[in-house]
Amino acid sequence: MTISNPFLIHTQENVIVKNPDDKSWVFEVGENGNLWVDFLQTTDDLNVFVSLQAEEAKCKINCAYLINKNNMLNIDIKVLHKYKNTTSEQHIKGIATDESSVSFKGIVEIPKDSQKCDGRQHHRGVVLSPKAKIEAVPQLEIWADDVVCSHGSAIGPLDANQLFYLQTRGLPEHEAKKILLNSFLGDLMPEEFSDIIQGWMDKNV
């Protein structure tokens, strides 16, 4: 783990972590277990696999990415609801500029016998230049019939109306962009990551 790609485990109750390294994480969440972890990616790829192993196991995975220049970033997150009555959330947001590219693939898998599960996955990406690319493939692989699941993805530029409004209040364009982008990430990333995010904004926005 490097300082440019920090992580923060808020909650780790009855969770086994196997072979973590700079790019790959495996979490096994046991009965009544609870996992809540945040990732911030600016350089390295990220692979996360979570297995909800027993009843009432829960996980929340938050991930933000900031990518610039001609860099490429791959993010793969999979949650397996191995047992019934398990709950998962995936929240992914990111920003791409210059000629960078991001590929996000997220999977929620619920086998046939894993009834009464709740799996949610949401991705939002902002492109700051015409040559930046963000591709998202959210997937639900559901074989059970008594579940509550949702997924979605939205990718696009900053809201032109919001940007114009801030500029009419006297803000330069780059400052208005920073305010909107900080708000975009602010409800997802913890305060511990704010210096890294602000440093990236200062150099790239």
Side-chain angles (χ1 to χ4, degrees), residues 39-50:
F39 296 97
L40 175 60
Q41 302 302 120
T42 60
T43 54
D44 293 330
D45 295 341
L46 177 67
N47 294 281
V48 177
F49 175 70
V50 181

Side-chain angles (χ1 to χ4, degrees), residues 22 24-25 29-31 34 64 66-67 74 92 98 101-102 106 114 123-125 141 148 152 157 163 174 180 186 190:
D22 288 354
S24 301
W25 293 83
V29 187
E31 186 174 3
N34 189 7
L66 302 168
I67 192 77
N74 296 293
I92 299 90
D98 302 325
S101 62
V102 178
S114 298
H123 167 268
R124 292 176 63 195
E141 298 182 0
V148 177
L163 191 60
H174 71 282
L180 293 177

Side-chain angles (χ1 to χ4, degrees), residues 14-29:
N14 199 13
V15 178
I16 297 173
V17 182
K18 291 187 175 181
N19 301 319
D21 59 34
D22 288 354
K23 299 181 181 181
S24 301
W25 293 83
V26 177
F27 301 98
E28 294 182 356
V29 187

